[in-house]
C-alpha cells in the first residue's frame, strides 16, 4: 500500500536545547494523537518543524536531530528565527488567524511588515513542499494540515500530478466577504485547490469555502465539488473527534487521582466552573470573565459558594496581541477577586501556565460546569474532552460558534458575544436538575465515543485513497511533442478541416458581448487559412446570423450560427436553417430571465432566433453564481415541458432546443474525407463537437474546466499563436 506523508507545521516530536544538550519530547495535541497509528507504520512519514530555530543549531546537532527523528518516521524542516518570526508569528498568526476567526478590532499592520511576512510565508511553504517532494514516491498520499501551509498542495501538484493530495483546515473558514478582505485570498485559494480532497470541521465552513471559490471567479463550485482545468476537488466536512478511551479511562490512573485530591482540597465545599484554553484572542476569555463578574453581581447568594477555575496557558508570546490580552486578563481577574473576594474565598482561580494532561483531567472530573465559550473556534476539542472525562454529571456551556456545537446539541449553546446569554447559561447550568444533566451527558458521550479522532483520521485517508467522483481524465497542455506533432501532421495533410469557436476561443470574453468585434489580425488570419486550398475552415459559434454575417460574411469560410441552428457554406450567399424557429416558449421564459438579469449587476438577456441567453460576463461572481443556480432551478420544469435544455456556457446560460448542437452541425462536414481535423473551443457547447470528432482528430480546450478534448491551451491568445503557426 502506498505510504501516507503527513505535512504539518509541527512534528509529533519536539526538540529543545538545555545547557548545550538536545532533548526530545512528545508534542501535545489532538493531531499527534489522531495520526499516531499512521506514524507508527515505517512506510509512512511526518514532515514538520521540530520546534527549535536552526540558528541555534550546529551542523552536527542538525544531523543528530535528523537521525533521532528518523527513528520516529519524522523528517524535519529547519526554520530560522527570522522565518519563525515572519512566517509563523507574522503572517500565519497576525494575519490569517484573526481573519479566519473573524476577530474584531485587529491592529493595523504596516505595509512593509505585511509584505515581508507574506514573502516569508511563501518561502516557508515552498520549503515544506520541497521536503514533501523529496520524500514522495509514485501514488503516495500527501496529507497537508492547517492554515500555516495553505500553499503547499498547489506547489506539490505543480511538480507531481501523480500524487493524491489532501488538505485539512483545523480552524474556521470565514464567510466569503470576510475572507476576500485578505489581499492574498486568491493565492490562498489557489494553494488549497491543489489538493484532491479538502476537509473542514463543519458543513458551514465547507459552504463558506465553496462560496469563496465562486466569488473569486477561480472555479465552478457546487455540490461539494470544485471543478478545475486539470482535476476535480472534493470538499467535505470531517468533524475531528478525540481519543475518547484515553479520557474515559484516565481517572483510574494514580497521577489523575493525586491531582483530583489536590483540587478537591483546594476547592473544598465549592461548586466548580472550569475553563481550559490557550491564551488567545479567539477564545473569548475576557467575555467569559465579564459574564462571571455580572453573574456574581446579580446572584449575591452564590458568592462564597462557587469558584471559576480558569486555565489560560500562555501562547504565542512573541505576538503583541497575545501579550496585551495577557495583561488585560490578569487585570480583570484582580478586579473581580478584589471586588467580590474575601480573606477565605477568591471567586477566580487563575492558572496562567500550561497544565499537564493529568491535572486537566482532574479538573474536568471535579468540575460541575465547563464554561467553553470561544468567540470562534474550528472545533474545540476541550469541550469534548470534558464530556469524555465525566461519569455521573456535569454541564457543558458551549459557543454556537465552535465547530463542536454541531455535534453537541445537548450542551447549553450560547452566543459568546451576548453577555446576557452567558450569564443566563451560568444560572441554568448551576440549577439544572440532576436527571436532566445526566441525560444530556449520556447522549453527548454516546456521540463522542463513536466519532473518535482515530475514526476521523481513517475517514479522511480513506476518502483520499478513493477516486474523486466525477474526476475527469487529466487533459495535457498542447505543448512540446504534442504541439510539434500537430504542426507536422498539419503540414503533411492534403485535406484539412478546422472547426473554430469564436468568443473565448479566438478572442477573450469581454464584459459587453455586443462589443466583441473581431480584431483585424483575426480577419487576416482567417483569410490566410482559407486561402490555402487544402483547408476547409468552419467558424462554429453561438453568435446569431446577423453578427456572423456582418463580421465574417465576406470571407471564404463556412459559418455556423447559434451553436448549430443555421449554417452558411463558404461558396453560398444564403443561410440554411437546420431547426425551425419556435417563439412560444420564449414568451414564457424571457420574463424569468429578465427578472434575474435585473437582480444581477451587469447581467443581460440576449434573444436569438433559436435560443435565449443569460449573459453574466461582467457580473460580480457572488451574484452570478447565486442567480445562475436559481435560474436553473426556476426553469427546470418549464424547460422539461417544452423539451428544451439549459446549457452552462462560459459566463452564460443558454436555453435551446437539444436537437441543435455543434456536434450535429459538424456532421455536414465530417462525412467528408479529411486527413487532418482540428477543433478549438472553450465551453460546454464545444464539448458536443469534441465528442463528435473521430479519435484521430486534434480537439483543443481553451481555458479551465472539464473537457472531452484531447489537449488544452490556457487562453485565446495561445490559440491565436497556434493558428498563426499553422498559417505560416
Amino acid at each position: 500500500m502506498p505510504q501516507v506523508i503527513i505535512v504539518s507545521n509541527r512534528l509529533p516530536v519536539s526538540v529543545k536545547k538545555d545547557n548545550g544538550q538536545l532533548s526530545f519530547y512528545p508534542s501535545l495535541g489532538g493531531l499527534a494523537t489522531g495520526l499516531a497509528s499512521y506514524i507508527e507504520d515505517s512506510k509512512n512519514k511526518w514532515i514538520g518543524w521540530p520546534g527549535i530555530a536552526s540558528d541555534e543549531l550546529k551542523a552536527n546537532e542538525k544531523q543528530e536531530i535528523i537521525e533521532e527523528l528518523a527513528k520516529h518516521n519524522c523528517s524535519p524542516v529547519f526554520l530560522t528565527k527570522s522565518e519563525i518570526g515572519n512566517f509563523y508569528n507574522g503572517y500565519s498568526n497576525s494575519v490569517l488567524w484573526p481573519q479566519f476567526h473573524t476577530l474584531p478590532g485587529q491592529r493595523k499592520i504596516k505595509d512593509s511588515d505585511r509584505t515581508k511576512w507574506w514573502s516569508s510565508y511563501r518561502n516557508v511553504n515552498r520549503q515544506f513542499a520541497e521536503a514533501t517532494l523529496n520524500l514522495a514516491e509514485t501514488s503516495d498520499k500527501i496529507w497537508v494540515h492547517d492554515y500555516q501551509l495553505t500553499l503547499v498542495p498547489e506547489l506539490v501538484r505543480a511538480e507531481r500530478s501523480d500524487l493524491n493530495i489532501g488538505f485539512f483546515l483545523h480552524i474556521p473558514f470565514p464567510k466569503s466577504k470576510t475572507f476576500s478582505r485578505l489581499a492574498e485570498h486568491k493565492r490562498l485559494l489557489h494553494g488549497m485547490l491543489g489538493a484532491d480532497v479538502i476537509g473542514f470541521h463543519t458543513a458551514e465552513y465547507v459552504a463558506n469555502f465553496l462560496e469563496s471559490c465562486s466569488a473569486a471567479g477561480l472555479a465552478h463550485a457546487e455540490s461539494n465539488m470544485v471543478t478545475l482545468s486539470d482535476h476535480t476537488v472534493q470538499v467535505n466536512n470531517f468533524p475531528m473527534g478525540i481519543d475518547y478511551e484515553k479520557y474515559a479511562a484516565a481517572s483510574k490512573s494514580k497521577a489523575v487521582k493525586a491531582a483530583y485530591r489536590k483540587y478537591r482540597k483546594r476547592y473544598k465545599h465549592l461548586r466548580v466552573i472550569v475553563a481550559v484554553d490557550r491564551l488567545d484572542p479567539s477564545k473569548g476569555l475576557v467575555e467569559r470573565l465579564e459574564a462571571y463578574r455580572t453573574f456574581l453581581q446579580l446572584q449575591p447568594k452564590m458568592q462564597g459558594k462557587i469558584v471559576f477555575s480558569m486555565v489560560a496557558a500562555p501562547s504565542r508570546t512573541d505576538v503583541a496581541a497575545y501579550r496585551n490580552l495577557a495583561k488585560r486578563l490578569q487585570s480583570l481577574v484582580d478586579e473581580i477577586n478584589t471586588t467580590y473576594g474575601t480573606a477565605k474565598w477568591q471567586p477566580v482561580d487563575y492558572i496562567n501556565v500550561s497544565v499537564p494532561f493529568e491535572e486537566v483531567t482532574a479538573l474536568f472530573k471535579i468540575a460541575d460546569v465547563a464554561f467553553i465559550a470561544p468567540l470562534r473556534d474550528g472545533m474545540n476539542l476541550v469541550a469534548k474532552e470534558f464530556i469524555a472525562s465525566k461519569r455521573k454529571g456535569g454541564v457543558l456551556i458551549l459557543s454556537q460558534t465552535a465547530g463542536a456545537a454541531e455535534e453537541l446539541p445537548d450542551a447549553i449553546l450560547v452566543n459568546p458575544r451576548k453577555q446576557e446569554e452567558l450569564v443566563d447559561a451560568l444560572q441554568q447550568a448551576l440549577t439544572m436538575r440532576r436527571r436532566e444533566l445526566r441525560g444530556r451527558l449520556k447522549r453527548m458521550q454516546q456521540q463522542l465515543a463513536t466519532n473518535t479522532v482515530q475514526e476521523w483520521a481513517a475517514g479522511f485517508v480513506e476518502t483520499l485513497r478513493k477516486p474523486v467522483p466525477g474526476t475527469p481524465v487529466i487533459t495535457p497542455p498542447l505543448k512540446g511533442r504534442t504541439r510539434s506533432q500537430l504542426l507536422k501532421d498539419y503540414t503533411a495533410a492534403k485535406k484539412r478541416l478546422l472547426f473554430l469557436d469564436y468568443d473565448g476561443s479566438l478572442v477573450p470574453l469581454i464584459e459587453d458581448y455586443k462589443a466583441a468585434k473581431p480584431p483585424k489580425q483575426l480577419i487576416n488570419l482567417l483569410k490566410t487559412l482559407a486561402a490555402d486550398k487544402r483547408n476547409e475552415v468552419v467558424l462554429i459559434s453561438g453568435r446569431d446570423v446577423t453578427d456572423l454575417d456582418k463580421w465574417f460574411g465576406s470571407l471564404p469560410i463556412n459559418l455556423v450560427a447559434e451553436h448549430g441552428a443555421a449554417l452558411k457554406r463558404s461558396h453560398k450567399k444564403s443561410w440554411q436553417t437546420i431547426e425551425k424557429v419556435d417563439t412560444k416558449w420564449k414568451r414564457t421564459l424571457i420574463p424569468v430571465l429578465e427578472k434575474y438579469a435585473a437582480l444581477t449587476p451587469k447581467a443581460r438577456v440576449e434573444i436569438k432566433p433559436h435560443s435565449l441567453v443569460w449573459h453574466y460576463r461582467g457580473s460580480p461572481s457572488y451574484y452570478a453564481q447565486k442567480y445562475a443556480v436559481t435560474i436553473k432551478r426556476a426553469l427546470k420544469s418549464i424547460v422539461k415541458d417544452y423539451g428544451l435544455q439549459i446549457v452552462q456556457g462560459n459566463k452564460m446560460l443558454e436555453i435551446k432546443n437539444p436537437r441543435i448542437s455543434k456536434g450535429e452541425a459538424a456532421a455536414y462536414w465530417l462525412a467528408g474525407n479529411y486527413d487532418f481535423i482540428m477543433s478549438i473551443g472553450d465551453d460546454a457547447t464545444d464539448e458536443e463537437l469534441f465528442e463528435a470528432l473521430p479519435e484521430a482528430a486534434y480537439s483543443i480546450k481553451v481555458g479551465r474546466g472539464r473537457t472531452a478534448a484531447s489537449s488544452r491551451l490556457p487562453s485565446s491568445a495561445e490559440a491565436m499563436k497556434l493558428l498563426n503557426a499553422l498559417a505560416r
Side-chain angles (χ1 to χ4, degrees), residues 345-471:
W345 172 70
Q346 292 287 282
V348 182
D349 185 13
Y350 181 45
I351 304 171
N352 185 216
V353 295
S354 294
V355 177
F357 165 77
E358 293 78 12
E359 296 223 358
V360 170
T361 306
L363 275 172
F364 288 159
K365 186 175 170 61
I366 204 171
D368 298 279
V369 178
F371 194 13
I372 312 295
L375 300 178
R376 191 76 171 161
D377 219 338
M379 175 51 71
N380 197 292
L381 298 178
V382 171
K384 295 184 174 185
E385 290 162 359
F386 170 77
I387 295 299
S389 301
K390 301 302 290 182
R391 275 294 160 263
K392 296 181 180 179
V395 182
L396 172 62
I397 300 173
L398 181 62
S399 290
Q400 299 163 343
T401 50
E406 287 193 5
E407 297 175 85
L408 302 174
D410 279 296
I412 300 175
L413 299 178
V414 294
N415 182 334
R417 299 183 189 277
K418 293 187 176 180
Q419 190 178 95
E420 64 275 15
E421 286 194 26
L422 299 178
V423 174
D424 289 345
L426 286 171
Q427 176 66 16
Q428 183 184 348
L430 290 167
T431 57
M432 187 177 291
R433 292 179 180 273
R434 188 169 295 276
R435 184 175 178 179
E436 181 184 354
L437 67 85
R438 284 184 174 178
R440 288 178 179 238
L441 182 65
K442 183 178 179 180
R443 288 190 294 271
M444 288 190 285
Q445 287 178 335
Q446 288 171 341
Q447 159 68 20
L448 299 182
T450 55
N451 294 280
T452 64
V453 68
Q454 292 84 0
E455 290 292 324
W456 165 80
F460 189 95
V461 173
E462 183 61 28
T463 303
L464 189 58
R465 284 185 173 134
K466 294 176 182 176
V468 178
T471 300

Side-chain angles (χ1 to χ4, degrees), residues 220 509-511 513 596-597 600-605 613-621 623-629 631-632 647-654:
H220 182 62
L509 295 176
I510 62 172
E511 186 175 311
Y513 69 92
Y596 290 108
T600 308
K602 298 185 179 181
R604 299 183 181 186
V605 178
V613 185
W614 189 75
H615 291 279
Y616 54 92
R617 292 184 184 182
S619 305
S621 297
Y623 291 101
Q625 287 290 339
K626 177 181 178 181
Y627 289 120
V629 172
I631 288 171
K632 289 177 186 177
V647 178
Q648 174 72 65
N650 201 337
K651 298 188 177 179
M652 63 89 163
L653 290 178
E654 182 161 18

